[in-house]
Amino acid sequence: MKLRNFLLLNLLLMTTITLRAEVKVTLLKTDYKVNPVGIDNPVPRFSWIIQSDQNNTMQESYEIRAALNPADLAKGKKLIWKSDRVASSQSIHIKYNGRPLSSYQKVYWQVRIVDNHREKSKWSEMAFWEMGKLEDATWEADWITPAWEEDREKSNPSPYLRKEFTIDKAIKQARLYISCQGLYQVEINGERVGDQEFTPGWTSYDTRLQYQTYDITAQLAQNQNAIGIVLGDGWFRGNLGWIDGRNNWGDKLTAIAQIIVDYTDGSKATISTDESWKATTGPILESDIYNGEIYDAGKELTGWSKPGYDDRNWDATNKVEIPKKILIAPEGPPVKIVNELEPLSIKKVEEGWLVDMGQNMVGWIRIKASGEPGDVITLRHAEVLDTLGNMYYENLRAAKATNTYHLRGGVDEVFEPHFTFQGFRFVMVSGYPGELTADKIRGMVIHSDMEPSGTFKCSDTMINQLQHNIVWGLKGNFLDVPTDCPQRDERLGWTGDAQVFAPTACFNMNAATFYTKWLKDLAADQGDDGIISNVIPDILGGGGATGWADAGVVIPWVVYLNYGDKMVLKNQYESMKKWIAFMEEHAGDDYIWKENRHFGDWLSFDDSRSNYMGAYTTTDLIATAYYSYSSAIVAKVASILGQDEDAKYYAELSDKVKQAFNEEFVTPNGRLVAHTQTAYTLALAFDLLDEETARKSAIHLAGDVEQFGHITTGFLGTPLISLTLTNIGRNDLAYKLLNRKEYPSWLYPVTMGATTIWERWDGQKPDYSFQKSSMNSFNHYAYGAIGKWMYQVVAGIGIDEKNPGYKHIIINPRPGGGLTSARATHQSMYGQIASGWELEGEKLTMKVEIPVNTSATIHIPGDASTVEINGSALVDSGMDYKNIDGNTMVSTGSGNYVIVTTLK
C-alpha cells in the first residue's frame, strides 16, 4: 500500500511539474545584433525576447551577469558585471554597467527573469560581444597606396596589394581589422575573407570611415601565409552625382589593415599595412558604380593571395598620412548577397540574348561561359522594355550600367563584377559563345542585410503585389544608405525619400541600425548654421529643403517609436535643434517660410497648376507646415530627454508657427489658399487647425478626393493622405484610393506588370510609352509609403506613442474596400505581433497575437453583445473592455486570441 501511494504521489508530482508554466529567455542581442564582433560602443545595450506558455505574462525583474570567459560565466565567478535583481519590465536597450571595457575584449553574458506569475527562468544560453578598437592608438598600421601615378579623370585599373607573413606558433584566435578609401575585397591564402559587399560602406568619409572586423582564425596556417587586398573606386572617387562627377572625397585609393594573432601561449603577433607591401594591377580594368566593370580574365593573377607567389615585378607602396580618428566600427547592417534569382525567360534577339529575370532587382549578373581567348561578353541592363519589346536604356541617363568580360578561353569560366551594381529586370547578353541557357545565369540580389520584420497579405492579389513591390523597392534602395533609385547616374541618399518612407521601412525590416548609422552621417554633414543637405552623404552642397531636411527630425522620431530607443533621440538631439534654428532664421519674425529652396510636393499629379515639377501646393504653405510639425516633434523629444525648458520653448514655437499658418493660409470656412489634397492633408495630419476648422477642412479634403476620384498628391502628401482620410472618418475614400487601378494610383503600375514602386504615377503609360527619361525610375520607394496605412489600418497593427517600441500595442483593423480578409505580422523587439481578420457574410473573425512582456488595446468592430474571445462571451472573459461608438475596446496582455463578432 505504501509503495502504491508512493508511486501515485510521484506520478502526481511529475504531472504537476509537467503542467507547470515555463518561462524562457531567448534571442539575446547586443546593440541590436546577435553576438557582434568588433563594436566600439563602450556602453553596449542588451535586449532579449521572453517566451511563456501562459497568457498575460510580463517580466517583473531581470538579472544580468557577464564574464570574460564561458567557464567563469557558467559558474558565476570572476564576473565583470552582475546587475543583481532589478525590478523592471524593461527587456530592451538595457545599458551595460560593469567594469570599463577595453579594445578587443570578448565578453560573455546571460540573463534570467522573473515574471508576474512568479515563475523564474533558467539562465539563458550564453551570448557574447567583442570589442573593436576603442582608441586611435590601437591602429598599429599605416595607410598605404600604390606608388604610381593615375589618370584622375577616369576609372583606372583596380590596384592589387599583397603581403606574406609567417605564423610560427599555435593559434588561439586571429582578427583582421581593415578599411580603405574606396572599396575593398580581401583574401587570405587564396580564400575570400567574409561575405560582405561594398566594404567599408558609404559614410561621410571626411569625418566617418568604417572599418570591418573579421575572424580569420580558420584561414591562417601555422606556417607561411599571405594576404591580398584589391581596391575599387566606389563612392569615394568614382562617378557620383552630376556635379564634378568624380573624386568627391579624394583621388587616391588607400588601404589600412591590421591582423592581430593571439597564440595559445599567451603571446601576440601583429601584421599590418606598411611600405613593405607590394602593388600591381590585374584583370579589373575599370570598375565604376554607374558605368559598370570591364574585366579581362587573361590578366588574372593566379595565386596572388597565396604564399609563394612571385611578386618580384610588383611595384612598391607608399605611406599616406590620413587621420585614424575618423575610423569607426560599423553600426548598420553590412551589404550582402541575399538572394539568387533564376531567369524567367531567355530569348535570342538580334542584339544577343534577352534575359528576363522576372523581378526588378538590384545587384548583378553571375554568368558562366566557355569560349576562346579574345571572346568578349557584354551585359547591359534595363528595368523595362519599350513598346517594341526592346531594352529601354534612356532612363539610365549617363550611367552605362554595362559589364564586360574578356574570356581567358579554353576553360569553364564564371564572371561577376566586384565593385559595381545595377538596377534592372532585363539583361542583354551579347557576344556569348554558344547558347545561353538558364543554368548559366543568375541574378545576385544585394542590399543591406536587415532582418525581415513584417508581412502583409489580404484577399486582393493586386494589393498583395503592391506589398511585394514595396518590399522590393526597399531592398533595392537600402544599400548602406537609403537611396532614391538604384539604376541611373544618381543613386544618392535623398533625405526626402527617406523621411516619408521610414515608417513603412521599419515595419518591413529591422531598420534601426541602418537609420542610426545614416543619421550620424546626416549630423556630420550638417552645416554650422543648421542646414541639412538634400542628400546624405553630401556631394551636392546646399540643401535645407522642407520635407527633405526634416528627415533629421522625423526619422529619429520614427526609430524611437518603432524600437523604443531613446539613444537615437539623444544622439541626434543637437542636430534636431540646429535644424529648427535654421528654420527660425530663414522664416523670420512672421514664421512663414517663403524661400524658393524647396522642392514642394515633388512629382504630384497635376502639372498644369505647377511652377516646379508638379509641386502645385505652394511651397511656403508646405514649408510652414513642416516648420510647426518638426518643432512639435523636437518639443516631445526634449521632454523625453528631460530637457524641460527646451520642451516648453519648442512647443511654444510650434504653436506660434501654427497660428501664423492659420492666419496666412486658412480661411474662416476651413478652406486653404492652396486648395489641394496635399495642403489639407498636411494641415490635418500635422494638427495645425483648431477642432472646428479641422472639421471644415476635412470636408474640403474629402470633397477634393471625391471630385477627382483619385489621388493628386506627390512625395510629401502621398504618405499621409490615406491615414488622414481614415482619421477624419472617411475610410471609404482611403480604400477607394487603394483600390483604384487607373492612373494615378498605387495599383496602376501593378496592372502594367511592375515588380517595384515607380518614381512617377505614370512612369510607363497605358500605351507603353514612357514619361520623361530625365526622371523616370522604376525602382523608387517613396510612393510605397502607403504601406504604413495598409499595416496599421487594413490589418490593424499600430504603435502607442506613450509606450513606444510596441511595449503597448494598438490593434485596430478597419475592414473595408471589398476585402474579405487581411493579415499582418511584425517582429517587434519583444517578439511577433500578428493581427488578421476574415469576413464571412456579417461574421468577422479576428486572430491576434501579442508577444510576452507587452500589452495591447484591441479595437473590435461590431456590437459588443456579439463578441466572443477564445470561445467565451466577452462579458465572461474576465477582460477589461468598454464600448465606444459601437466598437469594442479590449485591454489585454500577451497571448493568442481568436475574436468573433458581427459586422452590420
Side-chain angles (χ1 to χ4, degrees):
M1 188 62 144
K2 289 182 178 179
L3 178 60
R4 179 181 174 185
N5 288 340
F6 176 78
L7 291 173
L8 180 60
L9 177 61
N10 274 277
L11 179 61
L12 289 171
L13 285 171
M14 290 174 64
T15 303
T16 302
I17 292 170
T18 301
L19 294 178
R20 184 176 180 180
E22 181 180 8
V23 63
K24 184 178 182 180
V25 180
T26 64
L27 200 61
L28 278 63
K29 292 186 177 182
T30 306
D31 288 346
Y32 289 98
K33 299 175 183 178
V34 176
N35 298 337
V37 174
I39 68 172
D40 61 4
N41 177 10
V43 185
R45 296 176 299 156
F46 307 129
S47 302
W48 56 83
I49 285 177
I50 304 167
Q51 296 176 348
S52 174
D53 53 9
Q54 288 195 84
N55 283 0
N56 300 307
T57 298
M58 296 288 288
Q59 173 185 292
E60 286 202 340
S61 66
Y62 67 82
E63 185 178 357
I64 300 173
R65 64 185 186 185
L68 296 179
N69 66 68
D72 287 340
L73 184 62
K75 296 174 183 176
K77 301 288 183 67
K78 298 181 181 178
L79 300 176
I80 65 169
W81 183 37
K82 186 175 185 294
S83 71
D84 294 324
R85 181 178 175 181
V86 178
S88 171
S89 68
Q90 184 180 358
S91 59
I92 64 174
H93 310 311
I94 295 169
K95 293 181 179 180
Y96 171 78
N97 192 27
R99 192 182 306 166
L101 300 169
S102 58
S103 296
Y104 315 131
Q105 275 187 325
K106 188 172 186 178
V107 182
Y108 298 84
W109 69 284
Q110 291 175 302
V111 62
R112 65 182 177 187
I113 67 115
V114 177
D115 69 18
N116 56 322
H117 307 297
R118 298 297 183 265
E119 299 293 339
K120 179 185 285 189
S121 75
K122 297 178 182 178
W123 282 108
S124 68
E125 294 292 325
M126 293 184 189
F128 69 83
W129 80 90
E130 183 174 311
M131 302 304 296
K133 292 175 171 289
L134 297 183
E135 305 89 18
D136 300 345
T138 60
W139 279 102
E140 299 174 14
D142 297 327
W143 286 98
I144 60 171
T145 190
W148 62 64
E149 293 297 322
E150 296 177 304
D151 185 340
R152 299 177 182 180
E153 301 305 316
K154 72 178 189 68
S155 180
N156 293 277
S158 286
Y160 284 68
L161 313 174
R162 75 182 304 272
K163 168 80 173 179
E164 293 194 19
F165 57 96
T166 302
I167 299 294
D168 54 9
K169 297 180 183 180
I171 301 170
K172 178 183 177 183
Q173 71 169 29
R175 299 289 185 265
L176 168 64
Y177 305 90
I178 182 171
S179 186
C180 75
Q181 292 181 314
L183 298 175
Y184 74 81
Q185 289 185 2
V186 59
E187 298 180 8
I188 290 179
N189 296 335
E191 294 182 356
R192 174 94 179 262
V193 175
D195 59 357
Q196 301 184 28
E197 307 290 343
F198 291 88
T199 47
W202 190 9
T203 52
S204 177
Y205 290 130
D206 290 336
T207 54
R208 289 166 41 83
L209 179 58
Q210 297 178 136
Y211 68 87
Q212 282 71 40
T213 303
Y214 299 100
D215 181 350
I216 58 170
T217 309
Q219 289 183 258
L220 295 183
Q222 189 176 339
N223 206 322
Q224 287 299 109
N225 296 268
I227 179 172
I229 303 170
V230 58
L231 302 176
D233 290 348
W235 299 285
F236 182 81
R237 77 166 189 182
N239 288 293
L240 196 63
W242 52 89
I243 299 175
D244 296 330
R246 294 180 54 81
N247 306 317
N248 282 283
W249 282 277
D251 55 22
K252 284 184 179 293
L253 299 182
T254 67
I256 187 170
Q258 182 177 354
I259 294 173
I260 298 179
V261 182
D262 292 316
Y263 294 125
T264 55
D265 66 2
S267 61
K268 295 178 182 289
T270 299
I271 301 95
S272 301
T273 44
D274 57 25
E275 290 182 316
S276 68
W277 285 55
K278 291 193 171 183
T280 193
T281 57
I284 305 175
L285 305 183
E286 294 183 16
S287 194
D288 183 85
I289 286 178
Y290 289 170
N291 294 331
E293 182 166 304
I294 301 174
Y295 187 94
D296 187 348
K299 297 180 180 293
E300 288 181 340
L301 308 169
T302 304
W304 72 282
S305 64
K306 293 181 178 180
Y309 179 81
D310 185 359
D311 61 8
R312 286 175 295 177
N313 294 324
W314 285 38
D315 295 315
T317 58
N318 290 334
K319 178 180 174 181
V320 184
E321 293 298 331
I322 300 170
K324 294 169 185 172
K325 66 181 180 180
I326 66 174
L327 289 165
I328 57 171
E331 189 167 0
V335 175
K336 292 186 178 182
I337 297 172
V338 291
N339 295 98
E340 287 190 27
L341 299 185
E342 298 182 8
L344 182 63
S345 67
I346 301 177
K347 179 183 178 182
K348 189 70 172 75
V349 296
E350 183 177 350
E351 188 179 346
W353 297 94
L354 176 59
V355 182
D356 180 0
M357 299 308 299
Q359 171 64 50
N360 196 359
M361 56 166 281
V362 173
W364 55 76
I365 289 293
R366 175 189 289 166
I367 192 165
K368 298 178 182 179
S370 180
E372 300 299 322
D375 285 347
V376 179
I377 300 173
T378 302
L379 298 94
R380 299 188 68 190
H381 305 78
E383 295 184 288
V384 291
L385 303 179
D386 65 18
T387 55
L388 300 177
N390 298 318
M391 299 276 282
Y392 179 66
Y393 299 121
E394 283 78 3
N395 71 323
L396 303 180
R397 301 193 305 211
K400 296 178 182 177
T402 300
N403 296 329
T404 304
Y405 184 59
H406 297 254
L407 274 68
R408 181 192 306 172
V411 295
D412 292 334
E413 303 178 52
V414 179
F415 168 66
E416 56 186 313
H418 298 75
F419 303 118
T420 189
F421 64 89
Q422 288 83 37
F424 63 98
R425 172 174 174 170
F426 299 94
V427 188
M428 181 62 68
V429 182
S430 59
Y432 189 83
E435 181 181 3
L436 180 60
T437 54
D439 60 315
K440 299 294 196 322
I441 191 167
R442 290 290 181 270
M444 314 305 290
V445 179
I446 64 168
H447 60 74
S448 291
D449 190 25
M450 300 165 289
E451 297 174 355
S453 60
T455 66
F456 174 88
K457 188 175 183 179
C458 69
S459 56
D460 189 302
T461 57
M462 294 190 72
I463 295 174
N464 293 339
Q465 182 64 43
L466 173 61
Q467 166 66 7
H468 170 97
N469 295 359
I470 290 169
V471 172
W472 276 85
L474 184 160
K475 289 180 178 180
N477 285 289
F478 275 46
L479 203 157
D480 210 45
V481 305
T483 61
D484 60 328
C485 63
Q487 74 296 93
R488 67 190 181 213
D489 58 344
E490 193 164 355
R491 315 185 200 186
L492 303 176
W494 282 96
T495 49
D497 306 52
Q499 184 261 125
V500 300
F501 189 70
T504 297
C506 289
F507 182 90
N508 284 293
M509 297 282 182
N510 186 337
T513 60
F514 178 87
Y515 280 127
T516 52
K517 171 259 184 188
W518 183 73
L519 286 167
K520 289 180 180 178
D521 289 307
L522 181 148
D525 280 345
Q526 189 171 12
D528 292 338
D529 62 352
I531 193 171
I532 294 175
S533 174
N534 297 325
V535 299
I536 301 294
D538 181 22
I539 65 162
L540 301 181
T546 193
W548 273 249
D550 292 278
V553 171
V554 175
I555 295 181
W557 183 244
V558 169
V559 172
Y560 166 72
L561 291 180
N562 279 270
Y563 305 103
D565 191 348
K566 292 183 182 178
M567 187 59 68
V568 70
L569 302 181
K570 183 177 180 181
N571 289 341
Q572 301 300 131
Y573 185 56
E574 292 303 318
S575 171
M576 292 179 179
K577 293 202 301 181
K578 286 173 64 179
W579 169 239
I580 302 299
F582 180 88
M583 289 193 285
E584 286 185 273
E585 176 68 23
H586 287 259
D589 294 339
D590 65 358
Y591 302 104
I592 303 297
W593 196 1
K594 305 182 183 73
E595 291 183 318
N596 63 0
R597 67 174 64 241
H598 308 299
F599 298 115
D601 193 28
W602 187 255
L603 297 183
S604 55
F605 167 69
D606 190 350
D607 284 354
S608 67
R609 288 190 277 176
S610 168
N611 294 320
Y612 194 74
M613 295 303 295
Y616 62 79
T617 306
T618 54
T619 58
D620 54 351
L621 183 151
I622 296 173
T624 305
Y626 263 98
Y627 181 13
S628 176
Y629 177 58
S630 287
S631 298
I633 291 176
V634 175
K636 294 177 185 177
V637 172
S639 180
I640 291 165
L641 298 178
Q643 303 293 326
D644 295 338
E645 288 299 315
D646 281 358
K648 180 182 178 183
Y649 176 82
Y650 291 114
E652 291 176 351
L653 175 62
S654 178
D655 286 342
K656 290 175 183 176
V657 179
K658 190 181 300 186
Q659 181 179 348
F661 179 92
N662 280 267
E663 292 172 356
E664 183 78 9
F665 302 115
V666 186
T667 67
N669 71 349
R671 183 182 175 95
L672 273 67
V673 295
H675 187 63
T676 66
Q677 291 176 16
T678 290
Y680 290 111
T681 294
L682 293 178
L684 292 164
F686 291 171
D687 192 26
L688 302 179
L689 310 173
D690 62 51
E691 184 176 350
E692 178 59 21
T693 306
R695 184 188 64 80
K696 295 175 181 178
S697 292
I699 295 172
H700 287 303
L701 172 60
D704 196 79
V705 173
E706 289 172 330
Q707 175 190 348
F708 278 94
H710 60 73
I711 199 166
T712 65
T713 51
F715 273 32
L716 297 183
T718 298
L720 302 170
I721 187 170
S722 296
L723 190 56
T724 302
L725 288 169
T726 297
N727 289 340
I728 66 172
R730 295 305 306 268
N731 208 38
D732 60 320
L733 292 179
Y735 270 110
K736 181 178 181 178
L737 295 181
L738 176 66
N739 282 325
R740 179 181 167 86
K741 298 177 179 62
E742 299 78 25
Y743 159 75
S745 69
W746 286 285
L747 295 186
Y748 168 72
V750 174
T751 69
M752 300 296 290
T755 60
T756 46
I757 300 296
W758 292 357
E759 181 176 19
R760 292 178 176 269
W761 292 118
D762 61 340
Q764 193 165 26
K765 299 179 181 180
D767 63 358
Y768 289 90
S769 61
F770 298 104
Q771 257 282 5
K772 301 173 184 177
S773 61
S774 60
M775 189 171 297
N776 196 20
S777 163
F778 291 94
N779 193 347
H780 222 93
Y781 56 60
Y783 286 147
I786 181 61
K788 177 187 178 182
W789 180 83
M790 290 160 57
Y791 320 134
Q792 183 174 336
V793 175
V794 180
I797 298 178
I799 295 171
D800 179 0
E801 185 177 305
K802 295 180 180 178
N803 297 276
Y806 297 97
K807 181 66 171 174
H808 183 77
I809 302 156
I810 307 297
I811 301 294
N812 190 12
R814 277 146 286 187
L819 298 181
T820 57
S821 66
R823 184 175 189 269
T825 65
H826 179 69
Q827 188 69 28
S828 74
M829 295 289 290
Y830 299 95
Q832 179 168 285
I833 304 164
S835 176
W837 55 267
E838 186 172 351
L839 187 61
E840 297 177 284
E842 293 185 345
K843 179 184 176 182
L844 180 73
T845 302
M846 294 173 58
K847 294 183 179 179
V848 176
E849 180 180 351
I850 306 300
V852 173
N853 205 30
T854 68
S855 59
T857 299
I858 304 176
H859 296 258
I860 307 169
D863 187 350
S865 65
T866 69
V867 175
E868 291 183 357
I869 297 183
N870 292 346
S872 299
L874 181 58
V875 293
D876 300 323
S877 67
M879 293 183 174
D880 294 328
Y881 70 95
K882 54 186 174 181
N883 190 290
I884 302 177
D885 297 330
N887 292 323
T888 306
M889 189 172 73
V890 176
S891 299
T892 187
S894 63
N896 295 307
Y897 302 95
V898 177
I899 302 167
V900 180
T901 187
T902 300
L903 286 184
K904 296 182 180 180

